[in-house]
């Protein structure tokens, strides 16, 4: 049957290492491509496309953090700071050098990778909670530096306006145009991450996560791969910051504070550590949760609370749900939404012949 492994024979290494070895998987990818590239952008209103755009940006950042935390086992609470490095690098390139957006995007990612590798140096000697505190210190240092160094950001509470990206001479201005622009980078990031974790580098990351001493004994260079994990993760974060800046049209440090780092940490915990699909699920869940809360409070809360009270309740309710969901998934399902999806998928793979 097309959705079972039985009867699907692999006779080459290429077939065994294929991203989608089963026919149903390839057909599913084709169906999703039609859905996301044709149906959704042409059928939805621009307001809903704006929400989808926020989800696309979040997916890229979540993938980067999951490479570091989920696949390599290095705890980080400084993801938002690396996003700000990429955002301000691109903003300065765009305003001072008037360089095109591909150059700004690459420069933002590379600068964030460099800073991320520097911040990751303590990971060679410490890990766990101590490493988390070290990355938190990096977050605070980068925040303070960007906010107070006038040459970088323009000063305290200042913002840098960034022109919209142009493609083939046309400005990407509408939500629909931005949807396609961001979706291209999401597909690129997903495919790159899937190939990374299947490569020699990805296997080294997983070995370090499972047991770093054993990994070093079998010949894995711990120094090199830990710094490489920080650099790759920070590159993703820098690209996320650049895309977020281009989407909003402005670079402001308030968009990348420690709350942002915690949000991305929640994405990969709820979605599932060490999983590309978990990063996607977590980014969608965390991005859509505040919107769902707002609609629910406006619909049902209006029967009990006044409009002013609802505006005060929504931010607090969001924080409460965030904390509760993180605790729930850590206790009940540590592998997150991805594990729940795998359980459902595995059930239907053998249904109705469970034996």
């Amino acid at each position: 049957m097309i959705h079972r492994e039985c009867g699907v024979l692999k006779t080459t290494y290429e077939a065994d290492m294929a991203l989608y070895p089963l026919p149903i998987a390839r057909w599913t990818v084709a169906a999703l491509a039609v859905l996301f590239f044709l149906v959704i952008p042409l059928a939805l209103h621009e307001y809903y496309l704006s929400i989808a755009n926020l989800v696309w940006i979040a997916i890229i950042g979540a993938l980067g953090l999951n490479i570091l935390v989920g696949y390599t086992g290095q705890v980080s609470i400084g993801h938002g700071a690396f996003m700000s490095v990429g955002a301000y690098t691109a903003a300065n390139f765009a305003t001072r050098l008037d360089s095109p957006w591909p150059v700004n995007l690459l420069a933002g990612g590379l600068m964030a990778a460099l800073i991320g590798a520097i911040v990751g140096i303590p990971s060679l000697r410490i890990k766990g909670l101590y490493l988390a505190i070290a990355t938190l210190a990096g977050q605070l240092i980068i925040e303070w530096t960007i906010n107070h160094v006038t040459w970088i950001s323009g000063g305290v509470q200042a913002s840098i306006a960034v022109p919209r990206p142009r493609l083939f001479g046309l400005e990407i201005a509408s939500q629909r145009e931005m949807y396609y622009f961001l979706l291209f980078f999401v597909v690129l990031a997903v495919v790159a991450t899937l190939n990374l974790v299947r490569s020699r580098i990805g296997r080294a990351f997983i070995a370090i996560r499972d047991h770093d001493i054993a990994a070093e004994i079998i010949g894995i260079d711990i120094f090199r791969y830990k710094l490489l994990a920080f650099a790759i993760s920070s590159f993703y974060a820098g690209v996320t910051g650049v895309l977020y800046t281009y989407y909003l049209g402005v670079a402001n440090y308030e968009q990348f504070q420690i709350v942002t780092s915690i949000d991305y940490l929640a994405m990969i915990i709820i979605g599932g550590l060490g999983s590309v699909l978990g990063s996607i699920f977590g980014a969608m869940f965390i991005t859509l949760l505040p919107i769902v809360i707002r609609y629910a409070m406006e619909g049902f809360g209006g029967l009990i609370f006044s409009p002013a009270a609802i505006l005060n309740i929504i931010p607090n309710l969001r924080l409460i749900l965030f904390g509760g969901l993180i605790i729930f998934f850590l206790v009940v399902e540590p592998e997150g939404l991805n594990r729940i999806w795998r359980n459902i998928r595995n059930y239907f793979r053998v249904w109705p012949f469970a034996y």
Side-chain angles (χ1 to χ4, degrees):
M1 298 177 69
I2 62 172
H3 63 287
R4 309 272 174 81
E5 289 83 354
C6 181
V8 179
L9 304 179
K10 302 170 185 175
T11 57
T12 63
Y13 287 111
E14 290 77 9
D16 189 52
M17 290 294 292
L19 280 176
Y20 306 106
L22 299 180
I24 184 89
R26 294 191 289 271
W27 295 350
T28 302
V29 171
L32 290 175
V34 172
L35 175 66
F36 287 112
F37 280 94
L38 294 177
V39 177
I40 290 180
L42 298 179
L44 292 184
H45 187 270
E46 288 214 344
Y47 169 73
Y48 298 104
L49 290 179
S50 68
I51 298 174
N53 291 337
L54 293 175
V55 173
W56 298 151
I57 295 172
I59 287 174
I60 300 174
L63 286 170
L65 186 59
N66 219 340
I67 290 173
L68 180 64
V69 180
Y71 285 103
T72 317
Q74 307 299 299
V75 183
S76 173
I77 316 180
H79 207 59
F82 305 135
M83 290 170 59
S84 67
V85 171
Y88 276 99
T89 300
N92 280 283
F93 267 66
T95 55
R96 298 174 187 269
L97 303 179
D98 197 23
S99 54
W101 65 265
V103 174
N104 303 336
L105 186 72
L106 183 61
L110 291 177
M111 181 59 72
L114 175 62
I115 300 300
I118 295 173
V119 174
I121 290 176
S123 68
L124 309 175
R125 299 296 299 271
I126 58 177
K127 56 185 178 180
L129 179 61
Y130 300 99
L131 179 59
I133 299 301
T135 57
L136 175 60
Q139 166 83 35
L140 299 177
I141 292 170
I142 293 172
E143 265 190 45
W144 187 94
T145 303
I146 289 177
N147 195 27
H148 289 82
V149 176
T150 306
W151 188 85
I152 297 176
S153 61
V156 179
Q157 304 296 331
S159 301
I160 301 177
V162 180
R164 293 287 186 179
R166 303 183 70 88
L167 193 62
F168 303 115
L170 300 176
E171 185 180 63
I172 301 175
S174 68
Q175 293 294 339
R176 185 166 286 105
E177 293 168 349
M178 188 62 69
Y179 175 94
Y180 285 112
F181 178 74
L182 295 173
L183 185 58
F184 168 78
F185 290 103
V186 171
V187 174
L188 197 62
V190 170
V191 174
T193 306
L194 287 171
N195 283 288
L196 174 67
V197 299
R198 298 183 311 128
S199 67
R200 180 178 181 178
I201 296 174
R203 293 195 295 271
F205 288 167
I206 294 172
I208 292 172
R209 177 197 66 189
D210 292 342
H211 204 296
D212 54 350
I213 297 177
E216 190 171 15
I217 289 174
I218 64 175
I220 294 175
D221 190 341
I222 302 295
F223 176 84
R224 173 188 173 190
Y225 283 106
K226 281 187 177 182
L227 288 189
L228 185 60
F230 268 95
I232 294 175
S233 174
S234 301
F235 180 85
Y236 276 70
V239 170
T240 304
V242 175
L243 294 177
Y244 198 64
T245 298
Y246 272 119
Y247 175 69
L248 297 178
V250 64
N252 190 309
Y253 89 101
E254 292 182 355
Q255 302 161 357
F256 310 110
Q257 294 184 357
I258 188 172
V259 176
T260 303
S261 299
I262 295 174
D263 284 348
Y264 277 93
L265 201 57
M267 288 179 193
I268 62 173
I269 291 175
I270 293 175
L273 293 171
S275 165
V276 172
L277 196 58
S279 302
I280 298 173
F281 286 155
M284 294 174 62
F285 188 89
I286 296 300
T287 304
L288 297 177
L289 181 62
I291 300 172
V292 173
I293 292 174
R294 180 169 62 83
Y295 276 116
M297 290 300 298
E298 291 176 353
F300 300 103
L303 302 176
I304 304 173
F305 304 102
S306 64
I310 291 176
L311 292 176
N312 293 327
I313 291 174
I314 290 176
N316 297 322
L317 185 60
R318 175 180 177 273
L319 293 175
I320 293 171
L321 286 177
F322 267 26
L325 287 170
I326 290 174
I327 295 173
F328 173 81
F329 278 100
L330 287 175
V331 173
V332 177
E333 188 51 82
E335 296 184 36
L337 295 172
N338 177 62
R339 183 62 185 183
I340 296 175
W341 160 249
R342 285 169 55 192
N343 290 339
I344 296 172
R345 184 195 64 184
N346 292 336
Y347 173 80
F348 284 102
R349 283 172 67 184
V350 298
W351 181 88
F353 307 108
Y355 53 86

